[in-house]
Amino acid sequence: MKHFTKYLFLLLALVVVLAACQNKPENNDNSHDKSKASSKGKDKLVLYAAGPDNLVKDMVKEFEKESGKKVEVFQGTTGEVLGRLEAEKDNPKADVVQLASLPAALDYKKKGLIEPYKVKNHNKLYKDWIDKDGYYYGFSGSALGMSYNTKNVKNPPKDDNDLTKSQFKDKIAIPDPSESGTALDLLSIKVNNEGNKAWDEYKALKNNGMKLAGANKPALESVIKGENDVVYGGVDYMVYAAKAKGEPVDIAYPKSGTAISPRPAFILKSSSHKELAKQYMDYVTGSKGQKQVDDHYLIPADKSAEKKKGKAKRADIKEFKYDWNNLSDKSEKVLKQFTELMR
C-alpha cells in the first residue's frame, strides 16, 4: 500500500524531531509515556501503543499483576508508533503493537511482519474486526460522529449534511486525515459508499467554512473551548470521557451512516518474547481486558462486554458497509483528492 509507505517516511522525519521532545499519547493527557523500549531484557514485554493513555496504563498494570512480568511501554499517536517501528526496522525492539486504525495492521500482514496467534477468546470477537488466522485483533473500536459543544449547539445535527446549513457557517472542523488514521478511515469509507455524492458534500462543507483541526485531540479541544461548534468525524470515546468530566460536549452519529474503526493489536514476527506476547494478546482480548475497553468508553470486540452506561453500543450505530482490504488500497488516492479539495 503506497499510502502507508509514503506515510512512514514522512513520519520518520517527524519522529527524529520529536525525539528531543516529550512524546505524547493519542489522547495527550500528559500522564504516561514510558519511552524506555530499548532493551530486550529477559521476560520483559515491550509494547508500542497508540492509546488511549489511561486504558493502556490500566491494562499494563493489571497484566503485570496477573502475569508477574514487567512491560515497557512506548506511547504515541499511530503515526509516531509507525515511525518508530520504521526507524528501528534493522534493530527491532517491540514485541506487541497497538494502533488506532486497522489499515496499518493489514499492511504489516502483507509485508510478513506479524506473528500469527489465535487468542483464546477468538470465537467470541467481532469477525470483521479480526483476522481469521490470528494475524491481528481489533480488540476495541471507536465510532466516528459529530462532536458538538452543548452550550453553543441547541439543536444537534442529525446527519452530516446538516452541517452545510448556515447555522454552522465557519464553525465546523474535521480531524485532518493526513494526521488521523480514523479520519482517513471515515473519508475512504464514505467515498466508497457514496461516490460523487460524498465529494459534493465535502465541497459543500468546505464552502460552509469547514477547516482542518489536526489530530483527534486538538480537534475535540477546539469544540470544548468553543472555537468550533462541531467536529465532523471525531472519535466518540474521547467525547464520552470529556463529557464525564463535565465538559460541554456530546456526540451525534449521522443517521445516513458512519464508520467504526477497529483498533488492532498484533505480535511482531521479530519479537524476542513471543510466549509473553501471546499472554498479553489473550489478556487484552479476554474478559478482563474487554471490560477495561468498555470502561474507557471504547467499543469492546466481545459484544458481551458492552455494559457501560452513557455511551452508544455498536448495535445502536448505523455503519456503512466496507471491506478493509479494498479500502486500504484506495486510501492514497482518496486522501490526495481530499487534500486538493481543502486547499
Side-chain angles (χ1 to χ4, degrees):
M1 289 181 287
K2 296 179 180 178
H3 169 62
F4 284 102
T5 302
K6 293 181 179 179
Y7 187 43
L8 289 173
F9 282 117
L10 290 172
L11 288 165
L12 180 55
L14 174 63
V15 170
V16 172
V17 174
L18 289 172
C21 306
Q22 180 184 7
N23 281 300
K24 295 183 179 180
E26 183 185 86
N27 57 339
N28 287 346
D29 63 7
N30 297 321
S31 60
H32 184 60
D33 177 25
K34 296 182 183 177
S35 176
K36 304 177 187 175
S38 58
S39 69
K40 289 199 174 185
K42 187 176 180 181
D43 294 333
K44 184 180 288 186
L45 186 75
V46 179
L47 171 67
Y48 285 12
D53 178 79
N54 288 334
L55 174 59
V56 175
K57 219 171 25 172
D58 290 349
M59 281 186 159
V60 166
K61 180 180 179 181
E62 290 305 311
F63 176 73
E64 287 182 334
K65 187 185 300 182
E66 188 173 284
S67 67
K69 307 298 183 182
K70 290 295 183 182
V71 180
E72 288 187 359
V73 182
F74 167 72
Q75 279 229 82
T77 64
T78 290
E80 289 167 358
V81 170
L82 292 173
R84 182 154 179 161
L85 289 169
E86 175 69 13
E88 296 173 350
K89 65 181 181 180
D90 294 328
N91 184 30
K93 298 174 177 62
D95 297 302
V96 176
V97 177
Q98 292 175 195
L99 302 173
S101 182
L102 189 60
L106 298 175
D107 189 41
Y108 266 55
K109 179 188 174 182
K110 286 183 179 180
K111 291 177 178 177
L113 300 174
I114 298 178
E115 178 75 15
Y117 171 63
K118 280 197 173 184
V119 299
K120 294 176 182 178
N121 208 30
H122 182 99
N123 293 330
K124 292 183 179 181
L125 308 178
Y126 286 126
K127 288 182 171 54
D128 56 334
W129 286 13
I130 67 176
D131 181 78
K132 64 182 179 63
D133 297 314
Y135 280 87
Y136 58 81
Y137 285 87
F139 69 98
S140 64
S142 56
L144 308 177
M146 299 173 289
S147 313
Y148 62 93
N149 185 297
T150 54
K151 290 181 178 179
N152 297 344
V153 180
K154 301 306 179 185
N155 296 305
K158 292 181 173 60
D159 211 347
D160 40 8
N161 60 12
D162 289 340
L163 301 178
T164 63
K165 297 177 180 178
S166 59
Q167 172 190 355
F168 299 106
K169 178 69 174 175
D170 297 326
K171 299 296 286 183
I172 323 159
I174 186 171
D176 189 338
S178 69
E179 296 184 44
S180 167
T182 53
L184 181 56
D185 289 346
L186 177 58
L187 174 63
S188 299
I189 288 167
K190 186 173 176 65
V191 169
N192 184 69
N193 276 262
E194 298 181 343
N196 289 333
K197 179 185 174 184
W199 288 119
D200 289 343
E201 189 172 290
Y202 279 118
K203 289 175 185 175
L205 288 168
K206 186 198 175 186
N207 291 337
N208 206 33
M210 183 178 74
K211 60 191 81 75
L212 298 174
N216 283 297
K217 180 62 176 179
L220 178 58
E221 286 178 344
S222 76
V223 169
I224 291 173
K225 294 175 181 177
E227 296 167 359
N228 291 298
D229 285 351
V230 183
V231 164
Y232 172 50
V235 290
D236 58 352
Y237 74 91
M238 286 187 183
V239 176
Y240 291 131
K243 181 181 177 182
K245 293 177 181 178
E247 300 290 1
V249 288
D250 209 339
I251 190 165
Y253 301 101
K255 66 179 182 181
S256 59
T258 189
I260 297 179
S261 290
R263 303 169 67 88
F266 52 88
I267 302 171
L268 289 175
K269 184 164 283 188
S270 58
S271 168
S272 296
H273 312 101
K274 288 188 173 68
E275 292 308 309
L276 188 55
K278 291 174 182 178
Q279 289 181 45
Y280 182 80
M281 291 293 292
D282 281 327
Y283 179 82
V284 299
T285 56
S287 59
K288 292 182 180 178
Q290 289 296 285
K291 181 181 183 303
Q292 288 177 308
V293 167
D294 191 51
D295 287 344
H296 286 272
Y297 300 101
L298 284 148
I299 301 172
D302 184 343
K303 184 179 179 180
S304 67
E306 285 190 288
K307 296 178 180 179
K308 190 173 182 66
K309 295 181 180 180
K311 72 180 183 72
K313 295 183 178 181
R314 187 181 186 186
D316 300 329
I317 303 165
K318 183 177 180 180
E319 289 184 70
F320 285 127
K321 293 180 180 179
Y322 39 90
D323 177 281
W324 285 108
N325 284 290
N326 182 46
L327 287 166
S328 298
D329 291 337
K330 296 178 179 178
S331 62
E332 180 185 3
K333 181 180 178 181
V334 171
L335 178 61
K336 181 179 179 181
Q337 188 169 342
F338 179 81
T339 302
E340 291 173 352
L341 170 68
M342 292 300 293
R343 283 178 181 168

